[in-house]
Amino acid sequence: MVEIAGRWIPLNFVYLAGAARHAGLTADIYDAMTKDHGYPEIEKRLRESNAGYVATTAVTSTINDAIKTLDLAKKINPGTVTILGGVHPSFMYEEVLNSSNAVDYIVVGEGEITCCELLSVLEGGGDPAAIPGLAFRRGDAIVNTPKRPFMEILDDLPAAWDLIDWQDYTYNFIPDSRLGAISTSRGCRGHDSIFCTQQKFWEDSWRARDPEKLADELEFLYTTYQVNVFLISDEYPTRDRERWETFLDLLISRGLPIYLLMETRPRDIIRDRDIIRKYRKAGVVYISIGIATTGHDTLDMIGKDAGVDEAKQALDIIHEAGIVTEASFMLGSPDETGAGVKRRLELARYLNPDNANFFAVTPWPYADMHDDVRQYIREWDYSRYNLVDPVIEPKGMSMLQMEIALAECYRKFYMGKIIEVMTMKDDFKRRYMMRATKLFMGSPFILKKLGIGILGKLGMSQNR
């Protein structure tokens, strides 16, 4: 759904490029994925840039390509200094450095200050070992410098908005849109889950930006670059109700014709029932919420704190405000069964979000759950740790059965939504959902996945 919906700006690079400029260097941002560029185009761009430093980021599913890209930069110019950051290398820096000579430095944790200091020290011929938040090789040893504390103030980060090729970024579900992103806070607190790693990365911290400066930034991006759709990229933007309502009031008072996409928790929506109309008036048109359970048999293992009734109540409140909803459901724990998958689909239909994601339980190698489920892991290629491809083989299901189950959940859920979408009374939601459904059902990726589900069913029927 994410890639079908639009092309998303690399917000982290906007701040990191600003940090590079702050170190006195000239910076450039190259978003090869959004441009649909493969390695021949990447090689051409690297050769033309003649860059002294090449930096990229990685989650688990992109770590292989991140290393391959830095390896390519080294082959083009062995003197290029390569830098890698992001969630996966922050936790797995030893594995990355031991597996590849293409990575010179890994930025561990929050990157802007560390990146700026690293570039300044390298330019000045200093010793990177004096910089907190780094991992790198020195001879046969790996140096891991002391942890860098999180920034206390987020509003003063330099942002290189001018380096974004804005024409590349659109939100496909809203015509004539230009898609941007904004971070209103960092961190994830009070959200215990052995599956999610955000709280682990942010060490149970949460820091918020000033609502007035956030409103200024949105207005600047709208007036300067004509950005009219914004992803609020935070894990938890609504944690502080007073701050959040102030932000909504500021947007309402400025009257910007913008659309906001966000995620939050069901209990915050219930808390904000009396101001949910402000969400919509301020421009919020899409809210994604987390669902507590992967089925009764695995609820305790996943350990999330919200319940089904809470999720249903929150979704109903959002629907009443004319806002599009999304909810995600996890399938494929070691105890997964065909009956459990059926219950998950029944739950999705009962909760009735406008959009549903059915994700494969994915044991990130640094997540708390990884060691507990290790014996059930059948896929060790990190590129498949993407929430779409099954990684775990349940005790009572095969990997193929899991893949078929995921595809069938999508097919049955969305086929059951067609009449509802066509008869929606809210004009905006109806147009939005009809466009989204058309793009979703016409996606080559989705058609391939649904084809696997259908062919798999036929194969199993013949085998019987």
Side-chain angles (χ1 to χ4, degrees):
M1 283 297 291
V2 172
E3 294 307 314
I4 294 168
R7 295 292 180 264
W8 310 83
I9 74 165
L11 183 60
N12 52 348
F13 287 175
V14 172
Y15 291 120
L16 291 169
R21 284 175 165 177
H22 195 65
L25 301 180
T26 299
D28 193 16
I29 294 174
Y30 174 40
D31 187 352
M33 183 174 69
T34 287
K35 295 180 180 295
D36 291 323
H37 284 181
Y39 283 102
E41 294 90 348
I42 293 173
E43 180 177 358
K44 181 174 183 291
R45 181 66 175 266
L46 288 171
R47 289 187 183 279
E48 291 174 348
S49 73
N50 195 30
Y53 303 91
V54 175
T56 191
T57 188
V59 293
T60 300
S61 62
T62 63
I63 186 64
N64 295 340
D65 282 307
I67 292 174
K68 186 174 179 180
T69 299
L70 297 183
D71 184 62
L72 183 58
K74 285 285 192 183
K75 288 178 179 177
I76 293 170
N77 179 5
T80 298
V81 176
T82 56
I83 305 169
L84 179 63
V87 176
H88 183 96
S90 287
F91 287 115
M92 307 296 291
Y93 61 86
E94 289 187 354
E95 180 180 276
V96 173
L97 291 172
N98 284 327
S99 65
S100 173
N101 292 321
V103 183
D104 291 326
Y105 297 96
I106 290 177
V107 174
V108 178
E110 200 166 46
E112 290 87 353
I113 295 177
T114 302
C115 187
C116 180
E117 290 184 2
L118 174 62
L119 293 171
S120 297
V121 165
L122 292 176
E123 285 290 289
D127 184 3
I131 302 171
L134 280 181
F136 59 93
R137 286 183 304 273
R138 180 162 282 175
D140 294 331
I142 291 178
V143 177
N144 178 25
T145 66
K147 177 187 174 298
R148 178 178 295 279
F150 294 130
M151 290 178 285
E152 293 184 6
I153 300 175
L154 300 173
D155 288 305
D156 298 331
L157 285 172
W161 296 113
D162 58 301
L163 296 182
I164 292 291
D165 291 335
W166 287 105
Q167 71 278 1
D168 289 347
Y169 301 96
T170 58
Y171 189 61
N172 297 331
F173 299 167
I174 296 178
D176 303 319
S177 62
R178 177 165 288 182
L179 178 58
I182 187 170
S183 174
T184 80
S185 67
R186 287 186 183 179
C188 187
R189 202 169 198 174
H191 185 64
D192 294 328
S193 169
I194 60 174
F195 169 74
C196 178
T197 58
Q198 286 300 317
Q199 186 165 319
K200 187 174 183 179
F201 181 83
W202 295 114
E203 299 179 3
D204 198 27
S205 68
W206 187 79
R207 294 155 294 150
R209 295 181 58 194
D210 183 294
E212 188 81 43
K213 292 185 178 180
L214 287 171
D216 289 343
E217 187 168 80
L218 283 169
E219 187 168 6
F220 167 78
L221 292 171
Y222 173 74
T223 57
T224 306
Y225 300 110
Q226 295 75 57
V227 180
N228 64 340
V229 181
F230 292 89
L231 170 69
I232 297 177
S233 64
D234 315 16
E235 290 88 3
Y236 195 10
T238 61
R239 184 175 186 269
D240 182 332
R241 169 169 162 137
E242 182 179 357
R243 165 191 169 272
W244 177 248
E245 186 174 8
T246 298
F247 177 54
L248 296 177
D249 288 337
L250 286 166
L251 293 182
I252 291 169
S253 67
R254 299 189 187 201
L256 300 173
I258 60 175
Y259 304 94
L260 302 177
L261 322 170
M262 61 176 287
E263 66 173 301
T264 191
R265 302 183 189 181
R267 61 179 52 181
D268 283 21
I269 295 298
I270 296 169
R271 178 201 70 192
D272 291 349
R273 179 197 294 269
D274 61 320
I275 62 168
I276 197 68
R277 294 292 173 183
K278 286 188 178 183
Y279 280 58
R280 185 64 185 87
K281 193 172 182 181
V284 175
V285 295
Y286 196 99
I287 299 178
S288 175
I289 67 168
I291 300 299
T293 178
T294 62
H296 181 72
D297 51 346
T298 54
L299 176 59
D300 292 338
M301 190 188 81
I302 297 300
K304 292 189 176 181
D305 59 359
V308 170
D309 291 342
E310 195 173 65
K312 177 63 173 172
Q313 189 177 354
L315 287 167
D316 289 346
I317 291 169
I318 300 170
H319 288 155
E320 289 171 7
I323 297 172
V324 179
T325 58
E326 176 189 79
S328 299
F329 304 85
M330 306 304 301
L331 284 72
S333 73
D335 294 323
E336 187 66 271
T337 62
V341 171
K342 184 178 179 181
R343 286 199 301 272
R344 220 71 37 73
L345 179 59
E346 290 171 351
L347 174 63
R349 287 169 167 167
Y350 166 71
L351 294 175
N352 196 33
D354 295 310
N355 295 290
N357 294 312
F358 298 92
F359 289 141
V361 171
T362 303
W364 317 118
Y366 41 85
D368 293 338
M369 74 179 299
H370 185 269
D371 289 344
D372 294 335
V373 303
R374 185 180 182 87
Q375 63 179 308
Y376 304 103
I377 297 175
R378 299 294 179 265
E379 184 58 70
W380 299 96
D381 178 1
Y382 282 149
S383 68
R384 296 180 69 85
Y385 283 56
N386 51 27
L387 299 175
V388 176
D389 296 307
V391 173
I392 291 173
E393 184 173 57
K395 302 168 190 175
M397 298 180 72
S398 69
M399 295 288 278
L400 177 59
Q401 286 174 323
M402 272 310 310
E403 190 160 5
I404 293 169
L406 287 162
E408 284 292 282
C409 282
Y410 275 109
R411 184 183 69 82
K412 291 178 179 178
F413 179 84
Y414 282 99
M415 289 298 290
K417 295 286 287 188
I418 291 175
I419 299 300
E420 179 186 342
V421 168
M422 293 179 65
T423 58
M424 282 181 173
K425 295 181 180 180
D426 185 292
D427 288 342
F428 172 81
K429 280 194 69 171
R430 185 177 65 256
R431 291 195 302 269
Y432 181 105
M433 288 304 304
M434 288 184 69
R435 187 175 178 87
T437 301
K438 181 178 179 181
L439 290 169
F440 181 79
M441 298 307 294
S443 162
F445 174 80
I446 296 299
L447 291 173
K448 178 183 176 183
K449 283 292 180 183
L450 293 182
I452 288 174
I454 294 167
L455 291 174
K457 285 183 70 178
L458 289 173
M460 287 191 294
S461 297
Q462 291 169 354
N463 288 336
R464 292 193 191 101

